Amino acid sequence: MSLRKPRTEWKLAELAEEAGVSPRTVRYYVQRGLLSAPNFRGPDTAYGEEHFIRLKAIRVLQARFLPLDAIQAELQRLSLDELRTLAESEPTPAPPPPPLAPSPVAGSHSVAPPAPGRRPTEMNHYQRWELMPGLELHVSDTADAKVRALAERVRALIEEAMTKVPAGLMTNSGLQIPLQGVEVTGELLGGHARVRVRQRYRNNETTPVEAIYTFPLPSDATLSAFTMTCAGRRIEGIVKEREEAFQTYDDALAAGHGAALLDQERSNVFTAQVGNLLPSEETVIEVEFLQAVTAEEGSVRWMLPTLVAPRYIPGDTSGDRTGHGTAEPTSSVPDADRISPPIGQVNYGLRMDLLVDLGREVVVESPSHAIALTKESPTRTRVSFSRGEVSLDRDLVLSLRSPDTSAVFTPLVTHRQGDNPGTFALTVVPDLLSLATAVPKQEVIFLVDVSGSMDGDSLPQAKAALRLCLRHLRETDRFNIIAFESNYHSFRPQPVPFTQRTLEDADRWVDALQANGGTELLKPLTFAARTAPDGVLVLLTDGQVGNEEQILRAVLAERKTARVYSFGIGTNVSDALLRDLARQTRGDVEFIHPGERIDEKVVAQFSRALAPRVTELQVYFDGIEGVELAPAELPVMVDGIPWTLMGRYPRPGFGKVTLRGRSGVEPFALSVNVHFPHESDRPAVEKLWAAERIKGWLDASLTGRRADAMKKRIVELAVSHQLVTRYTSFVVVEQRTGDRRTSGQPETRVVPVNAPAGWAMFGAQSKDEAASTGVVARPGARGGGGYVGGPPAQMPPPGIMVPASPSPIVVAGAPPPRPSAPAPASAAAPSRSRREVAAAPEKKKGGILNRLFSEGGSSEAESSKSFSGVMDYLAMDSGAEEEVAMEPAPRKQRERADSGAEGLLGQQLANGLWAASGAGPEPVRQARATALALLELLRQGITSSHALHGAQVKKAVEALLSLAGQLSSAPEVAELALGVAWLVAAGPRTRGRIEQAAKPWTSLSGRLGNDTELRQHVDALASR
């Protein structure tokens, strides 16, 4: 490989292409110090022959498995001629030079530590390196170059963790980071939200710096503007093709101008680079985005993520770095270095000033933060934080509900200016109850995340949600549970029927789950899709993984018609994967934050999973024309869920839009009269349409020339509407003159982020956390393996778990890993990830969701005579007694759980009935016990329409209707059961079935039309 070339100068893009790397990698090497800054500035900036030689030498050393810190040491040690010789050599693996430090312990070059379960042999000698007091690294004499390079990497990481200031937390002079604070402003309106995120930077150093900040935005947000304000000037950014935008930014910095770049790394992860920040000068970066706002049952939910949380990064290290994250690129996550900001104790916070105006009076609440409300008019409310500024360590969640529970969005929103085509967004809320047929048998697979990131409050929430889900299955259903971390194991090898016995076994199995390890979601999710290709997959996770696209592709390849319904648990859910799974499998997703009752969300989610739906939808326009529809493939329409169609209309006019499809085996049709106006000023609709159109294109699985053509189409539409995508970026340049124009390469400062609230694996808890929400991170939690970002400053480095001996590398002094919780059955699972870290001491029991069944009962009448009578009648069989005995919760907590509605519902059997002791046939005893239980629930105001417990009431009513034919020998029990069923059933469809079942008993059927008389009748029957 000869380096003798006729040219000695390259532009950035030319040098990168010649060396086989990206321009961003070249710039990263300059910032890292592996390459020197180019000599020439401005448009004439050029890289010389030494840059090219060093790049080729880096490639050779990388092929020998050396990490960048070791490569940097080599580049400093070798002369230019030696580097030239190295660059011309073949990039084949070879043993690297001995580590520069630390030195071997004297007299200890042939130490053979005993391997667990094996006797040391003469062939198993190790070289010992003391890393720090109490921690040694042992490397086998027979280790190959790759293993030795790995050992050097371990040594370098530990040395860096113990001796260096975390990158980006503080400057070398001990000054604060450039980012001073973040502010959220904007408006939540009737049809959409328009939100601005302002980042305020200040350079407290004496030389120019470049700030790099990785932050999240909602995955369904449409970025609409990017501005930079400095020296009293506000400069608008423009959208360009991604690499073109980077080149513009890099040229501006090289020429001494100010510039800012906004890249999209994932649909919900962005990186802002603000270059040439001048000493003592403040710069404000503003990102504006739009979101469609819809309501369900009168409630609007708006969520803003505040930090990019650490996530599991699978795969082997592979590829060149282009970002400053703490993780290396891997074969599974090639952009890991761009989505892994460092974790640190930060001094910047978040402020908020939002205007809520939905066109009518609303109630504004927040389960995540304490908020202050200012009424500006009957329909306008301004929202801020009660404490002024809060930590960016959890999602900001606002819940807006209308007192009259009516929809708060506009069904049809349009935009049209001049003679240009107009844009429309049509939203309907379908009422499909009248089309509902008998629900078919379901096969449900529950997947629960038990990784280290689920420690803290997340795992108790997931367990509570899982128990609720189980109790809404029917005996005709089949189910299985899969717990996953770095490995996965299942409740049963295959789905099993839902029975009382399997319900009790599943409860105990779920109780034993503990958090530990990494979030290896790919294999368990594909296993679930393979075992239930036409079923319902229920995923409970914090979603902190890096290989989202790989997971999505694998699930789609395994499933047939299976739908994925996800619960995003915790304070910092990476929602992009969960939303993509829901959208592409036609499922749904729900996000659960600390301070919210998850049981209501679980019930609502399960109701949606089993609700009537319309498939095979097609749209027809009559009298008007709709083109370029988005989404191009019409999504499934689910009962009661807002359904939106966007598109363009060439000409204004009046007409009708008709939707046709199938609900089960029945045809479906819905017509809506619409008016497409000549003039309308809602420009947000146009951007939302373009963004939805691009999402559909990005989902297309194309290769070759078609993929290139699609990328070009995406770039053209994104640039036309100024939208940021994975292929386009915002860039803004401040042209400087005179003393404000800099020279030289600015120092890079990487902005750290907070550890997520409630993540005990980081020991994270902000001061305002307990004061505002009462959520407390528990000490002593176990750290999960494979998470990048590192521990906060001043924390000791984690232990390193290595394979059992004989192994080429042994780390002495690390604590042994804590074994996973035992499970009754286990599926085939992959071996543990090499990225796992050792477990810390066991966490304390308890959590905000452990009191799930003890917080919703009556506060004054828990010991009422009627309730006591019902509880006395209900029998606890031996299986139930055994389950209570195994319950780890404190006795007082169990006693509270056994009182009120929650305690009563907790005794409902898998078949929907209640058990009872005494004489008589079992169907009669169960029917009477169930009727008494429902009557007590009715006294507490709980019917089939109850938001939380309605599904269990419906299940009981269905069970009584199934028993009606077996009650002919006990007419009073039959009248009591069917009479109570009528009173608690809210739907006319169910009441019609009860009326048919009650015909043999005339004394009952004559009272069904008079609820007052019927209530007196059943009360009398219940007292006998």
Side-chain angles (χ1 to χ4, degrees):
M1 178 170 59
S2 175
L3 295 177
R4 295 189 179 90
K5 297 182 180 296
R7 61 187 302 176
T8 58
E9 289 185 356
W10 292 265
K11 293 292 182 66
L12 175 60
E14 296 170 341
L15 176 68
E17 182 179 2
E18 190 77 22
V21 297
S22 75
R24 292 176 185 256
T25 297
V26 175
R27 191 167 189 276
Y28 172 79
Y29 288 163
V30 172
Q31 294 169 329
R32 176 77 179 253
L34 277 73
L35 300 177
S36 61
N39 294 325
F40 302 103
R41 317 302 300 172
D44 298 326
T45 297
Y47 292 79
E49 184 179 12
E50 182 177 347
H51 293 101
F52 180 70
I53 293 173
R54 283 177 170 267
L55 277 174
K56 300 299 287 186
I58 290 172
R59 302 296 281 175
V60 172
L61 294 174
Q62 284 178 326
R64 298 178 182 179
F65 307 109
L66 263 68
L68 286 181
D69 48 6
I71 291 175
Q72 189 166 10
E74 280 296 283
L75 295 179
Q76 293 172 351
R77 187 178 67 85
L78 299 176
S79 66
L80 182 60
D81 289 338
E82 290 172 323
L83 285 174
R84 187 190 302 274
T85 302
L86 176 64
E88 291 178 341
S89 64
E90 291 297 328
T92 54
L100 300 179
S103 299
V105 178
S108 302
H109 290 279
S110 297
V111 177
R118 294 178 64 102
R119 298 176 58 88
T121 66
E122 294 183 359
M123 298 297 294
N124 200 17
H125 292 288
Y126 291 81
Q127 194 172 30
R128 189 177 74 187
W129 306 88
E130 185 176 13
L131 304 177
M132 57 180 293
L135 183 65
E136 296 178 350
L137 177 68
H138 298 181
V139 183
S140 172
D141 290 344
T142 60
D144 58 18
K146 185 174 182 179
V147 172
R148 288 181 176 274
L150 177 60
E152 170 62 18
R153 176 65 172 162
V154 171
R155 180 207 62 76
L157 286 174
I158 293 178
E159 181 184 12
E160 181 180 12
M162 297 303 298
T163 62
K164 293 185 179 181
V165 176
L169 176 60
M170 303 291 286
T171 67
N172 292 332
S173 304
L175 300 177
Q176 293 184 357
I177 57 174
L179 182 60
Q180 301 297 295
V182 179
E183 183 181 13
V184 177
T185 65
E187 305 84 32
L188 303 184
L189 306 175
H192 67 278
R194 182 184 180 188
V195 181
R196 293 170 289 278
V197 178
R198 293 195 181 101
Q199 301 165 2
R200 183 166 50 86
Y201 297 87
R202 182 179 177 85
N203 180 7
N204 291 319
E205 300 186 57
T206 58
T207 58
V209 299
E210 177 190 25
I212 300 178
Y213 179 38
T214 301
F215 63 97
L217 290 175
S219 62
D220 59 343
T222 299
L223 270 66
S224 55
F226 181 61
T227 62
M228 179 171 69
T229 303
C230 54
R233 297 172 56 200
R234 178 183 172 91
I235 308 168
E236 298 285 341
I238 59 174
V239 171
K240 294 185 176 183
E241 189 275 329
R242 183 180 174 106
E243 294 309 312
E244 181 186 356
F246 166 75
Q247 189 67 57
T248 302
Y249 172 79
D250 189 67
D251 288 346
L253 264 59
H257 301 300
L261 178 70
L262 182 66
D263 285 322
Q264 176 181 309
E265 315 298 352
R266 303 290 174 83
S267 62
N268 61 341
V269 179
F270 298 81
T271 297
Q273 295 179 239
V274 188
N276 277 337
L277 290 169
L278 297 178
S280 302
E281 187 169 288
E282 186 170 283
T283 299
V284 176
I285 297 298
E286 182 176 287
V287 180
E288 181 183 277
F289 66 87
L290 302 170
Q291 276 181 289
V293 174
T294 60
E296 182 180 346
E297 297 179 356
S299 178
V300 171
R301 179 186 178 87
W302 181 78
M303 185 270 288
L304 178 71
T306 63
L307 70 105
V308 177
R311 60 189 69 205
Y312 178 67
I313 304 294
D316 295 322
T317 300
S318 175
D320 296 310
R321 291 189 66 117
T322 63
H324 291 265
T326 59
E328 297 289 338
T330 71
S331 54
S332 298
V333 191
D335 63 343
D337 56 322
R338 302 191 65 83
I339 60 172
S340 55
I343 298 292
Q345 300 292 340
V346 301
N347 295 322
Y348 59 88
L350 174 69
R351 293 181 176 273
M352 173 178 61
D353 182 16
L354 284 176
L355 176 65
V356 176
D357 186 0
L358 301 185
R360 65 185 68 200
E361 183 182 1
V362 295
V363 177
V364 183
E365 300 165 323
S366 174
S368 61
H369 296 80
I371 57 174
L373 305 177
T374 303
K375 278 281 189 182
E376 297 186 350
S377 76
T379 64
R380 295 164 61 92
T381 303
R382 195 164 292 277
V383 188
S384 60
F385 293 119
S386 297
R387 303 169 68 90
E389 185 175 83
V390 300
S391 300
L392 287 95
D393 62 357
R394 74 193 68 198
D395 296 340
L396 166 61
V397 183
L398 294 181
S399 176
L400 320 174
R401 55 184 176 85
S402 175
D404 61 5
T405 69
S406 60
V408 296
F409 56 85
T410 305
L412 177 66
V413 184
T414 61
H415 174 75
R416 190 173 191 266
Q417 297 292 309
D419 295 329
N420 296 319
T423 307
F424 70 89
L426 174 65
T427 301
V428 297
V429 182
D431 180 7
L432 306 178
L433 184 62
S434 60
L435 299 176
T437 58
V439 179
K441 296 179 181 180
Q442 299 284 346
E443 192 164 55
V444 183
I445 309 295
F446 300 99
L447 297 102
V448 58
D449 187 342
V450 293
S451 65
S453 66
M454 288 289 288
D455 211 345
D457 296 314
S458 296
L459 186 56
Q461 293 183 42
K463 287 183 178 182
L466 184 53
R467 292 189 188 100
L468 281 170
C469 287
L470 288 171
R471 279 158 175 78
H472 287 85
L473 294 176
R474 295 173 297 274
E475 284 192 307
T476 55
D477 297 332
R478 298 174 64 84
F479 79 103
N480 201 0
I481 311 171
I482 299 172
F484 63 92
E485 23 98 12
S486 299
N487 303 317
Y488 69 93
H489 52 278
S490 62
F491 169 61
R492 293 288 188 267
Q494 295 293 327
V496 295
F498 180 72
T499 65
Q500 185 64 26
R501 181 59 184 269
T502 56
L503 171 61
E504 294 170 1
D505 290 345
D507 275 342
R508 287 190 286 270
W509 193 86
V510 170
D511 246 0
L513 297 177
Q514 298 182 18
N516 188 31
T519 310
E520 178 53 61
L521 182 55
L522 174 63
K523 292 183 178 180
L525 197 52
T526 53
F527 172 73
R530 191 180 309 121
T531 57
D534 296 301
V536 173
L537 311 185
V538 180
L539 173 64
L540 300 98
T541 182
D542 62 357
Q544 301 296 347
V545 295
N547 55 332
E548 292 101 326
E549 289 190 9
Q550 183 184 19
I551 293 171
L552 186 63
R553 288 196 303 268
V555 172
L556 295 179
E558 293 288 351
R559 68 180 280 272
K560 293 180 181 177
T561 62
R563 307 191 303 274
V564 179
Y565 292 82
S566 302
F567 295 99
I569 309 288
T571 59
N572 293 278
V573 179
S574 178
D575 62 343
L577 171 63
L578 304 188
R579 291 186 188 278
D580 285 342
L581 283 170
R583 185 175 70 253
Q584 298 208 37
T585 66
R586 299 188 173 184
D588 209 339
V589 61
E590 192 72 67
F591 297 100
I592 303 167
H593 298 79
E596 292 185 303
R597 284 191 62 140
I598 70 170
D599 40 13
E600 295 181 2
K601 292 180 176 295
V602 171
V603 171
Q605 180 78 286
F606 239 63
S607 297
R608 286 195 289 268
L610 304 179
R613 58 186 53 228
V614 177
T615 59
E616 303 176 26
L617 273 170
Q618 293 182 315
V619 59
Y620 301 89
F621 294 88
D622 183 13
I624 50 176
E625 184 178 3
V627 297
E628 299 182 74
L629 302 180
E633 182 179 351
L634 299 186
V636 170
M637 182 180 291
V638 180
D639 181 50
I641 307 300
W643 184 94
T644 300
L645 175 68
M646 290 181 279
R648 307 275 270 178
Y649 62 93
R651 292 173 297 279
F654 291 86
K656 183 169 61 176
V657 177
T658 300
L659 300 170
R660 297 186 183 277
R662 303 193 69 82
S663 178
V665 297
E666 300 295 326
F668 167 86
L670 173 67
S671 295
V672 181
N673 294 322
V674 297
H675 172 217
F676 289 162
H678 187 275
E679 290 283 340
S680 180
D681 189 19
R682 297 294 290 274
V685 177
E686 196 165 63
K687 285 183 177 288
L688 292 171
W689 164 81
E692 186 65 34
R693 189 93 168 143
I694 289 173
K695 285 180 183 178
W697 291 344
L698 288 171
D699 289 338
S701 300
L702 301 177
T703 58
R705 295 174 63 183
R706 292 194 64 198
D708 294 338
M710 180 63 76
K711 178 180 177 180
K712 181 180 179 182
R713 191 177 300 119
I714 291 171
V715 170
E716 289 175 351
L717 186 61
V719 171
S720 172
H721 292 274
Q722 292 292 280
L723 301 176
V724 172
T725 68
R726 70 174 66 168
Y727 302 130
T728 56
S729 298
F730 261 121
V731 65
V732 57
V733 175
E734 178 210 5
Q735 297 290 334
R736 294 176 177 172
T737 59
D739 294 340
R740 300 192 72 253
R741 189 166 179 176
T742 65
S743 60
Q745 180 75 20
E747 291 289 332
T748 301
R749 302 288 177 251
V750 182
V751 176
V753 300
N754 277 307
W759 277 35
M761 62 184 287
F762 290 104
Q765 167 141 24
S766 61
K767 292 181 180 180
D768 59 277
E769 183 173 347
S772 60
T773 66
V775 179
V776 179
R778 289 165 290 180
R782 295 176 299 280
Y787 284 85
V788 298
Q794 302 177 353
M795 286 186 64
I800 300 175
M801 188 176 79
V802 296
S805 296
S807 170
I809 301 176
V810 176
V811 177
R818 176 181 175 86
S820 300
S826 177
S831 60
R832 286 192 176 274
S833 166
R834 62 180 175 81
R835 294 172 177 265
E836 277 192 17
V837 300
E842 182 179 3
K843 67 182 178 68
K844 297 180 181 179
K845 291 185 180 296
I848 60 175
L849 265 298
N850 285 4
R851 300 183 299 277
L852 176 66
F853 293 104
S854 62
E855 295 180 348
S858 171
S859 59
E860 299 178 357
E862 291 179 354
S863 301
S864 65
K865 293 182 179 179
S866 60
F867 178 72
S868 298
V870 173
M871 297 300 288
D872 289 342
Y873 183 80
L874 300 179
M876 299 287 283
D877 61 19
S878 58
E881 289 172 355
E882 178 185 3
E883 184 173 356
V884 171
M886 295 183 63
E887 173 61 49
R891 180 176 179 180
K892 289 184 178 180
Q893 183 175 335
R894 293 200 307 269
E895 291 173 351
R896 290 196 303 270
D898 287 339
S899 64
E902 283 80 1
L904 187 57
L905 286 162
Q907 297 185 41
Q908 187 178 22
L909 301 177
N911 61 7
L913 300 170
W914 273 260
S917 59
E922 185 180 39
V924 175
R925 288 187 282 112
Q926 288 190 342
R928 178 171 175 79
T930 303
L932 292 176
L934 291 178
L935 188 58
E936 175 58 29
L937 293 174
L938 180 63
R939 293 188 180 109
Q940 298 188 35
I942 297 174
T943 67
S944 64
S945 61
H946 191 272
L948 175 59
H949 303 305
Q952 285 184 265
V953 173
K954 291 177 184 177
K955 186 175 179 180
V957 171
E958 292 291 331
L960 287 176
L961 283 170
S962 299
L963 275 183
Q966 305 177 49
L967 302 179
S968 57
S969 62
E972 288 190 357
V973 174
E975 290 189 24
L976 173 64
L978 294 176
V980 173
W982 173 281
L983 292 172
V984 298
R989 190 186 191 93
T990 303
R991 284 192 165 186
R993 294 174 59 199
I994 296 172
E995 190 173 3
Q996 289 294 322
K999 284 184 177 181
W1001 297 280
T1002 56
S1003 61
L1004 172 66
S1005 59
R1007 293 183 171 96
L1008 291 183
N1010 187 327
D1011 284 4
T1012 301
E1013 187 177 342
L1014 177 62
R1015 178 64 181 268
Q1016 294 173 349
H1017 182 60
V1018 298
D1019 282 342
L1021 292 172
S1023 64
R1024 295 175 186 174

